[in-house]
Amino acid sequence: MTDWRPDKLERRLPALRARARLQTTIRQWFADEGFVEVETPILQAAPGAEVHLSGFATDWELPDGEERERWLHSSPEFAMKKLLAGGVPRLFQFARVFRNAEGSALHHPEFTMLEWYRAGVGYEAIMNDCAALLALTGVKELRWGEHVCDPAAAPERLTVAEAFQRYAGVDLLATVGSAEKLAHASGVAMHAGDTWEDVFFRIMFDKIEHRLGMGRPTMLCEYPISMAALARAKPGDPRVAERFELYVCGVELANAFGELTDPDIQRARLRADMDAKERLYGVRWPVDPDFLAALDHGLPDCAGVALGFDRLVMLTTGAQHIEDVLWLPVR
């Protein structure tokens, strides 16, 4: 509880000053691109839709004594999409977000997410945005451990299927739905009760992620449709989704979607995700009815991304722990 002490703060100050400069630079870039900076509530009716995350719940006591359950959001996505539906075509936010049961060199229970959306574009426009933001870091190389990446280099665009073929020798889409087939083809261990997605993530962690974004950034795109989350299917190939993740030095930095706008498909996915959450963890998050109302009203064709701003600062400064780039870590 002494992170404010002069000796400890002084050690972090160079990285923290770099953080402040980068935040100012990014804000100016968004202003030049015609974006408006928004601020949405941290307290939400639902924290998000992620199957594998834990949330922070709280009670909201109204003046008349009524209590309502609210959550600290894991992402501002639902709220920002309400603003898109309301008619704001380009918006961004530096959002404080919360994820329970997390802590490592790259994870913290409270952190800063840079999230932005563009109406009327595909997710390729968001790829271009990500490349532009990396160049704004103003450094010659981004660093994580012994790995380096040129922030000004043109990103590699690699499909998930290509990554599995290159690094694991697997025809991924031919195995969809069969955990046994995927485990056998890749040579990874198969555990009792494993689903296809369990094996998928084990291969990603063991054989693929640490090889991405070396020398130049990697846009890992076209995730299997079962991992679409809030992304739409790719036109011409419904097996995959318009989703990409940005990797730098083996670190996942951003997750982006060509956004799903069909309210019926989104309802079905949210229901399926919460069924999976309940089956795996015994808990079920509520679904925000106001978000569903915004979808029914009409979400414009759009694309968006959530980028871990603390991680970007780490890569820019060479910091080896997320707490080194936080003004005051949670204790």
Side-chain angles (χ1 to χ4, degrees):
M1 300 290 290
T2 59
D3 298 287
W4 54 267
R5 292 182 64 89
D7 57 333
K8 292 190 175 182
L9 187 57
E10 183 180 15
R11 181 181 62 83
R12 302 201 310 279
L13 273 178
L16 293 171
R17 290 192 175 107
R19 176 192 183 101
R21 289 193 299 270
L22 181 57
Q23 197 165 29
T24 298
T25 300
I26 288 174
R27 279 194 163 103
Q28 186 59 55
W29 183 86
F30 277 113
D32 292 343
E33 287 286 311
F35 282 74
V36 60
E37 183 171 7
V38 301
E39 294 177 298
T40 56
I42 288 172
L43 285 176
Q44 293 286 328
E50 300 90 347
V51 173
H52 301 291
L53 295 184
S54 296
F56 288 91
T58 188
D59 292 321
W60 174 22
E61 184 176 337
L62 277 66
D64 62 4
E66 178 189 352
E67 289 191 356
R68 297 178 184 175
E69 181 182 63
R70 286 295 181 265
W71 297 79
L72 304 184
H73 64 181
S74 61
S75 161
E77 180 167 6
F78 288 176
M80 294 181 76
K81 285 182 174 177
K82 294 174 190 179
L83 297 179
L84 279 165
V88 183
R90 294 185 182 186
L91 63 162
F92 80 100
Q93 179 171 191
F94 283 98
R96 302 295 290 181
V97 297
F98 304 83
R99 298 182 179 184
N100 214 340
E102 291 200 357
S104 72
L106 288 168
H107 297 85
H108 202 68
E110 178 181 350
F111 61 99
T112 299
M113 182 177 285
L114 171 59
E115 191 150 336
W116 71 95
Y117 293 86
R118 288 179 180 265
V121 302
Y123 78 155
E124 292 83 1
I126 303 298
M127 292 184 183
N128 295 335
D129 288 346
C130 287
L133 259 62
L134 292 180
L136 291 177
T137 57
V139 295
K140 292 183 178 180
E141 60 183 27
L142 301 170
R143 289 172 285 134
W144 172 245
E146 298 178 352
H147 304 304
V148 297
C149 176
D150 181 353
E156 170 191 32
R157 183 166 173 173
L158 183 69
T159 71
V160 173
E162 290 169 342
F164 270 71
Q165 187 66 61
R166 179 186 300 177
Y167 298 119
V170 174
D171 182 352
L172 178 68
L173 296 179
T175 73
V176 171
S178 173
E180 294 83 0
K181 183 182 288 187
L182 181 56
H184 177 74
S186 63
V188 303
M190 177 81 181
H191 301 155
D194 271 352
T195 65
W196 183 86
E197 290 191 0
D198 292 329
V199 180
F200 174 97
F201 286 119
R202 194 169 300 129
I203 297 169
M204 279 289 294
F205 180 78
D206 290 347
K207 300 191 175 188
I208 298 175
E209 279 191 320
H210 62 279
R211 292 171 163 169
L212 303 177
M214 300 300 171
R216 61 173 174 156
T218 297
M219 308 283 190
L220 186 68
C221 58
E222 297 182 16
Y223 275 71
I225 195 64
S226 63
M227 298 175 178
L230 281 74
R232 62 192 173 212
K234 181 183 178 183
D237 190 353
R239 299 175 302 169
V240 298
E242 285 191 349
R243 173 186 174 189
F244 78 85
E245 291 188 335
L246 170 64
Y247 282 86
V248 172
C249 298
V251 174
E252 179 200 338
L253 194 55
N255 188 20
F257 303 146
E259 303 294 343
L260 178 62
T261 59
D262 186 306
D264 294 329
I265 296 175
Q266 188 62 85
R267 278 183 169 87
R269 285 196 194 165
L270 290 171
R271 197 160 45 241
D273 285 344
M274 291 304 100
D275 287 346
K277 193 175 192 70
E278 189 170 36
R279 182 178 67 254
L280 291 169
Y281 305 110
V283 296
R284 190 181 192 93
W285 285 352
V287 175
D288 182 354
D290 198 40
F291 172 60
L292 297 179
L295 292 179
D296 287 333
H297 172 79
L299 187 66
D301 284 341
C302 56
V305 61
L307 182 147
F309 182 65
D310 310 288
R311 291 186 180 185
L312 179 60
V313 177
M314 291 176 67
L315 293 164
T316 301
T317 61
Q320 293 301 294
H321 200 287
I322 192 170
E323 293 187 358
D324 292 334
V325 300
L326 301 178
W327 284 97
L328 285 174
V330 173
R331 297 296 185 206

